[in-house]
């Protein structure tokens, strides 16, 4: 299950495969054409309350992951769709967060890889 990660402002690559935006809000200042997405799965993004609570505070990262995983447990159809795509070939999770190490796409990738 190859799953990659890419910031929304990074140039798309042919090696990205199936590109999926996993944020609830569209990234500022970027057009649909520039982002070149195959899907936007808003329902896989953390809830607004969880996102605001986390606030990209590194001290809250582990607790954020636990809470986010509990939210993901209730997203069966969207998760299954994404897992099927990843089983078929390269999938890249696209995100807008500045922190490339602690964001919902990183946590979602870990969640999907643990499920296999």
């Amino acid at each position: 299950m190859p799953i990659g990660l890419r910031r929304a402002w990074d140039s798309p690559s042919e090696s990205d495969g199936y590109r999926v935006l996993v944020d609830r809000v569209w990234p500022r200042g970027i057009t649909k054409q520039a982002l070149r997405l195959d899907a936007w799965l808003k329902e896989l993004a953390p809830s607004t309350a969880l996102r605001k609570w986390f606030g990209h505070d590194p001290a809250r990262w582990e607790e954020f992951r636990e809470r986010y995983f509990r939210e993901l447990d209730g997203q069966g159809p969207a998760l299954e769709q994404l897992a099927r795509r990843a089983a078929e070939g390269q999938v890249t999770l696209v995100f807008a967060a500045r922190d490339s190490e602690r964001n919902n796409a990183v946590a979602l990738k870990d969640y999907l890889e643990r499920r296999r």
Side-chain angles (χ1 to χ4, degrees):
M1 179 188 297
I3 300 175
L5 299 168
R6 190 173 294 273
R7 285 194 74 224
W9 295 275
D10 295 342
S11 297
S13 168
E14 289 298 319
S15 65
D16 288 346
Y18 190 78
R19 291 173 51 88
V20 181
L21 179 63
V22 293
D23 288 345
R24 194 166 300 277
V25 179
W26 190 265
R28 288 185 197 175
I30 193 162
T31 65
K32 288 181 181 180
Q33 293 79 16
L35 204 47
R36 292 184 17 207
L37 294 174
D38 295 297
W40 181 13
L41 297 177
K42 296 179 209 180
E43 59 271 31
L44 294 183
S47 66
T48 300
L50 179 57
R51 183 177 50 82
K52 287 181 178 182
W53 172 84
F54 175 44
H56 296 284
D57 179 349
R60 292 184 171 179
W61 172 241
E62 290 304 322
E63 179 67 20
F64 167 79
R65 284 171 36 93
E66 291 175 20
R67 292 181 184 193
Y68 182 38
F69 288 0
R70 285 194 298 270
E71 287 186 356
L72 288 170
D73 287 341
Q75 296 299 329
L79 280 170
E80 292 307 318
Q81 174 189 351
L82 191 54
R84 274 194 308 275
R85 281 288 183 171
E88 295 169 1
Q90 178 66 38
V91 167
T92 297
L93 305 178
V94 179
F95 63 94
R98 290 183 186 156
D99 186 340
S100 295
E101 295 177 18
R102 289 176 297 274
N103 63 65
N104 65 294
V106 170
L108 177 57
K109 177 182 178 189
D110 185 39
Y111 182 89
L112 289 167
E113 289 174 343
R114 288 177 185 214
R115 282 188 60 187
R116 342 182 237 189

